[in-house]
Amino acid sequence: MSKKQSITRISFVLVLVILLNLFSSSPLVIANDEEEIQDTFEPNDDFQGALSVLPDNNYTSYISTSGDIDIYKFIADTEGFFAVNLISPAGRDYDVEVYGDANWSSWLAGSTETADQVDAITIPVSPNVAYYFVVYGKDANEFNLEPYTLSFGHIQNDNYEPNGTLNQAISILPDEVYTSYISIAGDKDIYTFTAEAEGLITVYLTSPAGKDLDVEVFENASWSNWLADSTNGEGQEDIMTFSVTAGIPYYIVVYGKDSGVFGGGAYTLHFEALQEESPTSDLSTKEIYGYYVPGDQESVDRLQENSSYIQNLLSATYDINSYGDITGEDSVEVLDYSREQGIKIFAVLQNRENDAFSPELAETIISSATLRGSLIQNIYSLLTEKGYTGVNIDFEGIDPLYKNQYTQFLQELVNELRPAGLQVIVSVESITTSTQENTKAYDLTQLGNIVDKVQLMTYDQHGPWSLPGAVASYQWVDNVVNYISGKISSDKILLGLNAYAFDWNLDDASNTEYLPLNKILWLSSVAEGDHAWDPDSQSPYFTYEGSNGDEHLVWYENYTSIRLKTQLVSKYNLAGVAVWRIGYEDPEFWQSVMTGLEPENQIELVNSTMLEFQNNNDLIDDNEMNNRFSEAVEVTPGNSYLSYLSIANDRDIFKFTSDSEGQITVNLTSPSGKDYDVEVFETANWSNWIAGSSEGVGQQDSLLLRVKPNTDYYIVVYGKSPSEFGSSPYTVSLGLVQEGINDTYEPNGTLAQAVNVELGNTYDSYLSVAGDKDIYTFTAEAEGQVTVNLTSPTGKDYNVEVFETASWSNWLADSEDGVGEEDVMPFNVKANTAYYIVVYGKDSAEFGPDPYTLSFGMLMRDTYEPNGTFIDATRVQFGKSFDSFLSSSSDKDIFSLMSKIEGKITVSLKSPTGKDYDIEVFETANWSNWLAGSSDVGQMDKMTFSVQPNTVYYIVVYGKTSSDFGSESYTLTIGNYAQYNYDLITKRLNSIFYADGREVQYTYDDSGNVVEIKVIGS
């Protein structure tokens, strides 16, 4: 704004002020329905009414009406530079100007920054001269109920002011020392230089004593091009090193850590002369990050083998939920080992739900300030409690509509973590064009300014979702890095490297498979792969024929392809590489990475199509590839087959089709010293498991299966652990189908297939194959108890369990008696509730052609249950009888009795016909305080025992043997006891005290006749 424009504008404002004052003699007030503000500095709308202010003070006031202006007056007492800052209310755009006299024509300076930015003015001042500062709204709409703050600094002899904006930056030279001041709240000093060549610059900032100033650098005159900073604490020198490019201007900004840090003396700033960098970067500055997946022992083993290559471990452990909570648990063993090796550990946080990335989950979190805050606090707690170096945010698939929210989330996360020294790495999908960037939720420039590192997912160029091709071709990776390094400082970028391949079935696109690089040699050897090099993608591939005749094409990585892509780290001066994932790599992988990072060992692209690959001739398996249902080797009943598990995690699948109903035996003989297992599935579906056997080393695995006609069955052979494989063959043998067993209740092996039964009935059925189980169900009509009996076939040991509702987690009871013993299982039931009874063999050998018998008792109702503990004891009274049941072999009933007086009590028990129940009594709720018992043979037990006043006694009824229970009731009778008080002279009865606490009092007339009987107590 020019001086003439300022005079015209202020004159217009004065006219408005005069008009307003004509209609109001009261102080200037603005109000709405809820609040009213009082501007105590008013009237200060003209030079004569200017409010006198002092240096080193803040003043809070209002632009409270349209056209309002506030004027402040300051008289300098010395020569120097004087700084003033204006902080407008949130969302408002106020401006400030200064005049050298009480005259609108004496304009000296002004600041008209936009809304939410600090307006700063620094002017030279002379002693005993008055200066006038004018605050006003940028236009007629700029006024507010919220106050602004005007800060006046200290007069400093600061020859560099004004230098608070990028346009005012002071040009500086290397190896010179600059002394200046942060002289007011919100002050910042900006310096600039233009690099003459490519290289490194180091900037040093020394804060004044007791003050904490920080320093940042920006490329070009743009706040969005942040490069580096140093924010060491009070008393520590800030040192900041960053790369520069020839001909580019850089801006160094010095500022206080917060609004209270200013004054107190001068700071010093200097930067060292340019240190030229070689075109290729120093290997020692490049870092290798490796992703580790908990629960994978091979990942743990490879980490321990290759820890010397890895400086940073990215532990892909944690997920989020819709409440902002973090789920997952890391391996303490891996954490401890990594720290012992000096490896920094980052927690990887993903938006995975049900084993898949969920964009909606991430979008829910980042679009809610509350959920963002909750997640950020949970991240902070996780990192600090577990001792992580930082966090890797890997949120994938977010809609670009949420770009601003994702950026805001990362900024808030960094704001929380960085003061604690915790780092933030963000994973970014591959992008090569601005059009593609617009389809992602990444604001690359902002991300580069915010986070510490950006991990590029430079892989999955091709996969099961596409036609066959390189997983990450060289030129495609180069294009990704070139584009993104134009948005993000290259020294923040981590190049992603894949340690896996894809195996395309060219005859069945639905069967493309993910393949770790450490399986390439095995696959190529057993399938006799034909290898070649593709110059266009700079990647290797090979073809082979599957066991079912399907043609396959495998795109993978080798020493050369990994080395070439790793060389891009030097080309673009990237921070390093990040490998997905540890445990997939082949033996040459880490050395190829290290060699690719060495500037002196750079190689040229390979133009030949020839590729030498040496198969391992010791890996012979004529049945490979047969790792999938679609490639299962067809076998026939009555034959034996030799094959191999020739590599860790190998599995072989065989298929046979039954032409009749019956049983078939499958036997597996492992090689000497090996422990292989076998499972069978009905149809090509992993969920249709039928049976399995996992006997130990040196033992034959044997299965007896029930089969149906015209149905496919799949036999799967695998090692018990990753180390169970070798060059010696195993034998799998199939018997002939045996017909004859007719199980009319089948299929009833799942809760959904349960057979409906009725109480009081008996059912005969079979466990006809290994792993068979039969399930029955009934619904109770009322509350009570049901007893189920199971009679196993001769020489067999079957067991029985019961579940409430169709849920395996709602187990109620079981019976596991041995061979030749009947299993008896009583359990309580609730009205209108379904119960599921499961019959099964104790082990895999317990099945056969003979039937078992399952009997269901009638529903018994015991209104006193539960009363099997002292706490649940049923309270009884003297002189009463009680009927109840012992409804299972382990049932016992406990009754409690309170005596109010001293004496003796008799308790009798009548057992049901043919049953022998016993009775005992305990003083207080303690099994060690036994008093008496009766275990007479026959139906009647009776016991008499002494009682004390105000004492509880517990009477326990139980069966003499495990068979003494049933649906008939017993009778428990509690005797009465009383103390009779007589007048020995008159021979009259004065009162009776009963054991239950009642007292009966008698009153007589002079003739000795009873005239009143009074009952006292319960």
Side-chain angles (χ1 to χ4, degrees):
M1 179 184 293
S2 68
K3 293 181 182 179
K4 183 176 180 181
Q5 289 172 322
S6 175
I7 294 169
T8 303
R9 176 174 180 171
I10 299 300
S11 300
F12 172 73
V13 169
L14 283 175
V15 172
L16 288 177
V17 171
I18 294 170
L19 290 174
L20 287 169
N21 285 334
L22 289 174
F23 294 99
S24 174
S25 59
S26 60
L28 187 58
V29 172
I30 183 169
N32 61 16
D33 292 338
E34 298 182 354
E35 56 184 318
E36 181 177 287
I37 63 169
Q38 184 77 39
D39 189 345
T40 57
F41 295 152
E42 292 289 353
N44 64 335
D45 304 308
D46 54 30
F47 291 123
Q48 289 71 31
L51 179 71
S52 293
V53 295
L54 297 173
D56 296 322
N57 278 285
N58 295 335
Y59 295 86
T60 299
S61 192
Y62 305 85
I63 298 298
S64 46
T65 62
S66 178
D68 187 16
I69 63 173
D70 291 342
I71 304 179
Y72 301 85
K73 176 182 178 182
F74 165 72
I75 299 177
D77 58 1
T78 185
E79 185 175 7
F81 283 87
F82 188 56
V84 176
N85 283 0
L86 169 65
I87 302 173
S88 301
R92 292 298 173 183
D93 187 4
Y94 295 175
D95 294 333
V96 61
E97 295 181 345
V98 61
Y99 294 82
D101 196 359
N103 189 319
W104 294 112
S105 63
S106 60
W107 183 91
L108 291 178
S111 176
T112 58
E113 297 289 346
T114 57
D116 296 323
Q117 296 190 46
V118 175
D119 285 277
I121 297 177
T122 302
I123 58 170
V125 294
S126 301
N128 303 316
V129 175
Y131 298 88
Y132 294 84
F133 296 87
V134 181
V135 179
Y136 57 94
K138 184 174 288 287
D139 56 45
N141 295 320
E142 296 296 341
F143 62 94
N144 199 264
L145 298 176
E146 300 299 325
Y148 64 82
T149 298
L150 192 65
S151 298
F152 293 88
H154 190 76
I155 297 178
Q156 303 277 9
N157 190 13
D158 188 344
N159 296 323
Y160 300 130
E161 293 288 356
N163 66 334
T165 68
L166 294 170
N167 292 332
Q168 297 170 333
I170 299 295
S171 293
I172 56 177
L173 299 172
D175 295 329
E176 296 286 341
V177 177
Y178 297 87
T179 301
S180 193
Y181 305 85
I182 297 298
S183 51
I184 191 172
D187 188 15
K188 60 178 175 284
D189 291 344
I190 304 178
Y191 305 87
T192 185
F193 71 92
T194 298
E196 297 178 354
E198 185 176 359
L200 294 174
I201 290 290
T202 300
V203 174
Y204 300 86
L205 170 68
T206 303
S207 301
K211 299 296 180 181
D212 185 5
L213 305 183
D214 295 331
V215 62
E216 291 182 331
V217 63
F218 297 82
E219 185 176 272
N220 292 315
S222 171
W223 294 113
S224 63
N225 291 340
W226 181 92
L227 283 185
D229 65 11
S230 178
T231 57
N232 293 332
E234 182 180 322
Q236 300 183 57
E237 184 177 39
D238 285 280
I239 302 174
M240 177 176 65
T241 301
F242 53 96
S243 299
V244 296
T245 303
I248 299 297
Y250 296 88
Y251 292 79
I252 300 168
V253 183
V254 179
Y255 57 95
K257 182 173 285 292
D258 55 48
S259 60
V261 180
F262 63 94
Y267 65 81
T268 60
L269 178 77
H270 77 280
F271 69 96
E272 292 181 346
L274 186 70
Q275 303 172 21
E276 291 190 7
E277 287 184 305
S278 61
T280 54
S281 53
D282 182 5
L283 173 63
S284 64
T285 67
K286 306 307 174 186
E287 291 192 290
I288 297 177
Y289 292 69
Y291 282 93
Y292 150 77
V293 176
D296 181 354
Q297 187 57 45
E298 195 161 0
S299 192
V300 176
D301 294 342
R302 297 297 84 73
L303 170 64
Q304 294 175 348
E305 287 179 11
N306 301 295
S307 59
S308 61
Y309 295 106
I310 302 166
Q311 294 85 46
N312 302 275
L313 186 69
L314 300 164
S315 183
T317 305
Y318 300 101
D319 297 316
I320 61 174
N321 64 22
S322 58
Y323 301 102
D325 299 324
I326 298 174
T327 61
E329 190 64 38
D330 214 336
S331 165
V332 175
E333 173 193 358
V334 172
L335 293 177
D336 290 345
Y337 174 81
S338 299
R339 292 189 180 107
E340 289 171 3
Q341 303 304 311
I343 298 173
K344 298 175 184 177
I345 313 168
F346 292 78
V348 179
L349 193 64
Q350 298 177 311
N351 57 322
R352 291 179 66 85
E353 193 173 43
N354 300 323
D355 295 326
F357 281 99
S358 170
E360 295 79 10
L361 178 59
E363 291 159 5
T364 297
I365 296 292
I366 64 177
S367 59
S368 164
T370 300
L371 292 176
R372 284 199 312 270
S374 177
L375 177 57
I376 289 169
Q377 287 304 311
N378 288 333
I379 294 173
Y380 178 86
S381 298
L382 173 69
L383 301 187
T384 54
E385 290 171 8
K386 298 280 190 178
Y388 289 108
T389 299
V391 64
N392 175 190
I393 301 298
D394 181 19
F395 288 177
E396 300 187 23
I398 300 175
D399 192 287
L401 293 175
Y402 293 85
K403 182 175 295 190
N404 291 338
Q405 291 93 327
Y406 189 39
T407 303
Q408 184 176 5
F409 162 69
L410 291 171
Q411 181 66 71
E412 292 171 357
L413 177 62
V414 169
N415 291 346
E416 181 69 23
L417 299 187
R418 186 166 286 164
L422 300 169
Q423 299 179 31
V424 177
I425 300 172
V426 63
S427 294
V428 172
E429 297 171 46
S430 296
I431 299 172
T432 58
T433 65
S434 58
T435 301
Q436 192 178 14
E437 183 181 355
N438 291 335
T439 67
K440 307 293 183 182
Y442 311 122
D443 186 328
L444 293 176
T445 301
Q446 290 284 18
L447 295 193
N449 293 336
I450 294 170
V451 302
D452 297 283
K453 292 285 189 299
V454 175
Q455 183 262 330
L456 301 186
M457 292 186 277
T458 37
Y459 32 74
D460 289 352
Q461 179 187 7
H462 298 96
W465 53 86
S466 72
L467 293 174
V471 180
S473 67
Y474 176 86
Q475 190 57 56
W476 176 77
V477 174
D478 188 297
N479 292 343
V480 173
V481 177
N482 183 63
Y483 180 79
I484 293 182
S485 63
K487 302 284 185 129
I488 297 172
S489 177
S490 61
D491 59 3
K492 283 192 169 189
I493 295 175
L494 298 171
L495 179 73
L497 296 175
N498 55 291
Y500 60 88
F502 284 113
D503 177 356
W504 276 268
N505 184 322
L506 301 181
D507 294 311
D508 183 0
S510 65
N511 274 322
T512 299
E513 200 167 79
Y514 192 86
L515 191 69
L517 292 184
N518 57 29
K519 285 192 174 183
I520 294 296
L521 175 61
W522 160 76
L523 175 58
S524 176
S525 298
V526 299
E528 298 180 350
D530 185 12
H531 293 253
W533 178 265
D534 176 41
D536 290 337
S537 66
Q538 294 294 295
S539 299
Y541 65 92
F542 71 92
T543 59
Y544 72 91
E545 183 178 309
S547 58
N548 62 350
D550 286 354
E551 290 297 322
H552 286 252
L553 172 59
V554 179
W555 284 91
Y556 65 103
E557 307 290 346
N558 66 1
Y559 183 93
T560 302
S561 68
I562 290 295
R563 180 176 175 181
L564 283 169
K565 281 181 282 198
T566 305
Q567 289 179 178
L568 294 172
V569 172
S570 296
K571 176 179 178 180
Y572 288 96
N573 192 25
L574 306 183
V577 299
V579 176
W580 182 270
R581 67 180 176 90
I582 300 171
Y584 282 179
E585 67 275 24
D586 62 21
E588 295 183 324
F589 185 88
W590 295 108
Q591 189 55 51
S592 66
V593 172
M594 291 298 293
T595 306
L597 289 175
E598 295 171 354
E600 67 275 14
N601 285 323
Q602 306 290 288
I603 61 174
E604 299 296 325
L605 300 182
V606 180
N607 294 320
S608 172
T609 60
M610 301 297 294
L611 179 65
E612 292 185 7
F613 190 96
Q614 185 63 51
N615 287 325
N616 184 347
N617 295 326
D618 293 332
L619 297 176
I620 302 172
D621 189 346
D622 295 335
N623 294 316
E624 292 289 354
M625 291 295 294
N626 62 334
N627 303 311
R628 291 169 279 204
F629 288 132
S630 63
E631 297 177 336
V633 173
E634 293 196 9
V635 293
T636 56
N639 289 301
S640 296
Y641 300 87
L642 290 177
S643 195
Y644 303 83
L645 297 181
S646 47
I647 192 171
N649 297 313
D650 188 14
R651 67 167 179 253
D652 291 342
I653 303 180
F654 304 88
K655 169 188 173 184
F656 73 91
T657 303
S658 174
D659 55 6
S660 61
E661 184 171 7
Q663 293 184 159
I664 187 171
T665 300
V666 176
N667 290 340
L668 170 67
T669 304
S670 302
S672 177
K674 295 296 180 182
D675 187 4
Y676 295 176
D677 295 333
V678 61
E679 293 181 339
V680 177
F681 297 81
E682 183 176 284
T683 71
N685 190 324
W686 292 111
S687 63
N688 290 344
W689 183 90
I690 295 179
S693 177
S694 56
E695 300 291 344
V697 176
Q699 300 185 56
Q700 185 180 62
D701 287 276
S702 183
L703 298 174
L704 180 62
L705 313 172
R706 181 175 179 272
V707 294
K708 296 179 289 189
N710 304 315
T711 303
D712 293 334
Y713 295 88
Y714 293 82
I715 302 168
V716 182
V717 179
Y718 58 95
K720 183 177 287 291
S721 68
S723 63
E724 296 295 341
F725 65 94
S727 57
S728 298
Y730 62 83
T731 301
V732 62
S733 302
L734 284 72
L736 294 171
V737 176
Q738 302 293 322
E739 303 178 19
I741 293 181
N742 185 20
D743 188 345
T744 58
Y745 296 131
E746 291 288 351
N748 66 332
T750 69
L751 294 170
Q753 296 170 333
V755 174
N756 287 306
V757 295
E758 295 182 359
L759 298 182
N761 288 337
T762 298
Y763 300 84
D764 292 333
S765 193
Y766 305 84
L767 296 181
S768 48
V769 296
D772 190 14
K773 60 177 177 284
D774 292 343
I775 304 179
Y776 305 85
T777 183
F778 72 89
T779 300
E781 296 179 352
E783 185 174 4
Q785 189 172 73
V786 170
T787 299
V788 174
N789 290 2
L790 171 65
T791 304
S792 302
T794 302
K796 294 296 182 182
D797 186 4
Y798 294 176
N799 297 147
V800 62
E801 292 183 336
V802 62
F803 297 82
E804 184 177 283
T805 72
S807 172
W808 294 114
S809 62
N810 292 341
W811 180 91
L812 281 186
D814 64 12
S815 178
E816 298 179 341
D817 292 332
V819 176
E821 296 186 39
E822 183 177 43
D823 284 279
V824 180
M825 179 177 66
F827 54 94
N828 294 326
V829 297
K830 296 181 289 192
N832 303 316
T833 302
Y835 295 86
Y836 291 78
I837 293 86
V838 183
V839 178
Y840 57 96
K842 181 176 284 292
D843 56 46
S844 60
E846 297 297 337
F847 62 94
D850 297 320
Y852 63 82
T853 299
L854 188 67
S855 301
F856 292 85
M858 297 299 295
L859 179 67
M860 297 188 296
R861 302 182 184 181
D862 186 348
T863 57
Y864 296 131
E865 291 289 351
N867 66 336
T869 66
F870 287 131
I871 294 175
D872 294 327
T874 300
R875 187 173 181 180
V876 294
Q877 298 174 323
F878 292 93
K880 301 284 186 179
S881 292
F882 302 87
D883 292 333
S884 193
F885 305 86
L886 294 182
S887 47
S888 69
S889 59
S890 61
D891 192 13
K892 61 176 176 286
D893 292 343
I894 304 180
F895 303 86
S896 66
L897 181 68
M898 165 69 86
S899 175
K900 297 295 183 67
I901 61 174
E902 183 177 0
K904 289 189 176 182
I905 295 295
T906 297
V907 175
S908 61
L909 171 68
K910 182 180 179 182
S911 300
T913 301
K915 299 295 180 183
D916 187 1
Y917 294 176
D918 293 334
I919 186 171
E920 292 181 338
V921 65
F922 297 82
E923 183 177 283
T924 72
N926 191 324
W927 293 110
S928 63
N929 291 343
W930 184 89
L931 281 185
S934 175
S935 56
D936 294 335
V937 177
Q939 287 187 264
M940 183 62 72
D941 285 272
K942 183 180 291 187
M943 64 181 178
T944 300
F945 54 93
S946 298
V947 294
Q948 300 297 321
N950 301 316
T951 303
V952 178
Y953 295 85
Y954 291 84
I955 300 160
V956 182
V957 179
Y958 58 95
K960 182 178 291 290
T961 68
S962 61
S963 63
D964 282 310
F965 66 94
S967 59
E968 301 296 326
S969 64
Y970 63 82
T971 300
L972 180 69
T973 301
I974 312 298
N976 211 335
Y977 173 66
Q979 291 180 350
Y980 297 87
N981 297 321
Y982 288 90
D983 187 321
L984 298 178
I985 297 176
T986 62
K987 306 297 183 182
R988 294 174 181 171
L989 177 63
N990 289 332
S991 64
I992 302 174
F993 288 94
Y994 290 93
D996 61 6
R998 288 177 298 138
E999 180 184 359
V1000 180
Q1001 296 179 348
Y1002 297 86
T1003 304
Y1004 303 86
D1005 59 17
D1006 293 339
S1007 301
N1009 298 314
V1010 176
V1011 295
E1012 183 181 14
I1013 300 176
K1014 182 184 297 183
V1015 179
I1016 302 172
S1018 59

